[in-house]
Amino acid sequence: MPVRLRPDLAALPSYAPGTMPPVEINLAGNEVPTELPGSVRDAINDAAARSGRYPDPTASALVARLARRLDVDTRNVVVGCGSVTLCHQAVQATCAAGEEVLFPRVSFEAYPVIARVVGATPRSVPLADDWSPDLPGMLAAVGPATRVVFLCTPNNPTGAQPRAAALREFLAAVPPTVLVILDEAYREFVVGPDAFDGVSLAREQWRQGRDNVAVLRTFSKAHGLAGLRLGYLIGPGTVTEALGKVQVPFGVSSVAQAAALASLDAEDDVVERCRTIVRERTRVRRLLHDAGHRVPPSQGNFLWLPFGDRSADFAAHCRDNGIAVRVFGDDGVRVTIGTATENDAFVAAARTYRRRPVTGAREPSGSRA
């Protein structure tokens, strides 16, 4: 007889990563296209040579460095095998079966999958008209069963984020028994007068006695270490301690820890990498507008094209041109900012796209752009 498995797994959708069959240009995964600095590569090689030993289970050197950098105590920092693993640990530590995880829709696709894996109930709230999380709508959706609220800022895949004042009001209004996690995977790409620091907002809440705000960050995006899987959470000691109780032992490799420390030392390279991506983001958005496409402003290392139910058609057109982009159902398409050459190839493909008429189809949600 086969092994008895959880019956609900049959209906559980798997997280679909932003990968496709081999293409010449992959702009589907929000990866950073530049090479790592030599100092980071050296650190990786040195750590790999010592990989016969187990890694530091608490990543103490990295935690201490991050705590100094963020002006928090070491007990307020916990690292994990990518920020998505920390999302899983947070839900696992807070939710019993049937309790709710709240998040915007459209947002990071792992949130509902994680909730269901743990046995919690995912609940989503549509985005606001500017493609940012609808904070009043989110607040109204918080109920007795809500245990965790995920807010991706800037939001993946749309690139929009709420204003700091509105977020402060939201954090102050959420019941203190509900954990709010600000997922700042793309914070390093945020520019302009509306930029804010989620860790500073969290510290404000802690000083007011509200120990229910945490912040997620990652080394996968701006630091270019996606293949090594390393993220971190900044939160109240009660939260970080709880996450530690449900973590997999030795989950963060010694190679990842060494690479992260070296990347923090190479901050000038990280800053320049982000500046280059922001410049390209501005250029590509302008070119897409010139080509007749509606593209909302973005604060991530990607752009959002609200094609509605023509999203798959546009992605197929890109694939025919050797380019992979990420489709989000009938909402839109996300395209990563790659190298200048890759971006030019994508713009050329977008210029040649002609929307094929679909009987009875609604127009794309371009009114939000």
Side-chain angles (χ1 to χ4, degrees):
M1 294 181 63
V3 173
R4 183 176 178 179
L5 303 175
R6 280 172 47 185
D8 62 319
L9 289 183
L12 181 66
S14 299
Y15 171 73
T19 57
M20 299 179 69
V23 290
E24 295 176 20
I25 299 173
N26 186 355
L27 301 180
N30 284 356
E31 297 151 325
V32 171
T34 54
E35 291 187 0
L36 294 174
S39 59
V40 177
R41 296 198 301 271
D42 289 344
I44 290 171
N45 292 333
D46 290 345
R50 300 190 301 273
S51 290
R53 302 287 185 179
Y54 284 109
D56 178 350
T58 63
S60 56
L62 179 58
V63 165
R65 177 77 69 83
L66 290 170
R68 290 195 301 271
R69 183 186 182 94
L70 299 167
D71 193 24
V72 296
D73 193 272
T74 53
R75 72 186 185 93
N76 297 125
V77 181
V78 61
V79 301
C81 183
S83 59
V84 68
T85 297
L86 292 165
C87 289
H88 190 285
Q89 291 172 219
V91 176
Q92 196 174 20
T94 56
C95 290
E99 294 179 328
E100 293 182 353
V101 177
L102 184 65
F103 47 88
R105 195 202 69 81
V106 182
S107 194
F108 183 34
E109 289 183 307
Y111 297 150
V113 176
I114 290 169
R116 289 194 177 103
V117 167
V118 174
T121 300
R123 188 175 180 189
S124 62
V125 174
L127 295 172
D129 286 344
D130 65 353
W131 296 103
S132 70
D134 178 1
L135 296 184
M138 298 278 293
L139 186 60
V142 173
T146 308
R147 293 293 173 267
V148 182
V149 175
F150 284 111
L151 282 177
C152 193
T153 58
N155 185 52
N156 171 25
T158 63
Q161 66 176 15
R163 295 183 180 274
L167 185 53
R168 281 191 180 92
E169 292 178 6
F170 175 81
L171 296 176
V174 172
T177 55
V178 176
L179 176 62
V180 180
I181 298 180
L182 306 179
D183 188 345
E184 292 194 323
Y186 302 93
R187 181 187 177 274
E188 291 90 345
F189 305 106
V190 178
V191 296
D194 295 331
F196 59 81
D197 178 5
V199 176
S200 296
L201 293 180
R203 288 199 307 261
E204 289 177 14
Q205 298 299 310
W206 302 349
R207 286 194 293 269
Q208 296 168 18
R210 296 178 58 84
D211 289 343
N212 67 325
V213 181
V215 179
L216 272 174
R217 292 189 180 170
T218 183
F219 283 90
S220 294
K221 306 303 179 183
H223 290 269
L225 300 177
L228 293 180
R229 313 306 304 126
L230 180 57
Y232 55 105
L233 180 141
I234 306 98
T238 52
V239 173
T240 56
E241 182 181 358
L243 265 62
K245 290 182 178 180
V246 297
Q247 71 181 3
V248 176
F250 304 111
V252 179
S253 73
S254 53
V255 174
Q257 293 180 41
L261 286 165
S263 189
L264 291 174
D265 286 337
E267 185 173 10
D268 289 346
D269 292 271
V270 175
V271 169
E272 184 54 38
R273 183 184 307 145
C274 293
R275 286 175 178 165
T276 299
I277 290 172
V278 169
R279 286 194 296 268
E280 278 294 287
R281 181 181 72 195
T282 301
R283 183 181 74 90
V284 173
R285 181 171 180 255
R286 185 188 71 249
L287 292 174
L288 291 172
H289 269 292
D290 292 345
H293 294 289
R294 289 190 171 185
V295 188
S298 173
Q299 294 281 20
N301 68 329
F302 51 85
L303 292 171
W304 173 248
L305 290 86
F307 275 114
D309 55 14
R310 292 183 174 89
S311 298
D313 184 53
F314 177 77
H317 172 77
C318 291
R319 187 169 59 250
D320 290 344
N321 284 271
I323 303 167
V325 296
R326 184 69 178 270
V327 179
F328 284 76
D330 284 345
D331 292 291
V333 171
R334 187 194 71 197
V335 55
T336 305
I337 298 300
T339 65
T341 300
E342 291 171 338
N343 298 333
D344 287 342
F346 169 73
V347 170
R351 283 181 177 138
T352 62
Y353 175 65
R354 297 294 178 264
R355 299 176 180 179
R356 291 176 285 188
V358 181
T359 303
R362 73 179 192 275
E363 284 301 305
S365 305
S367 60
R368 298 206 221 185

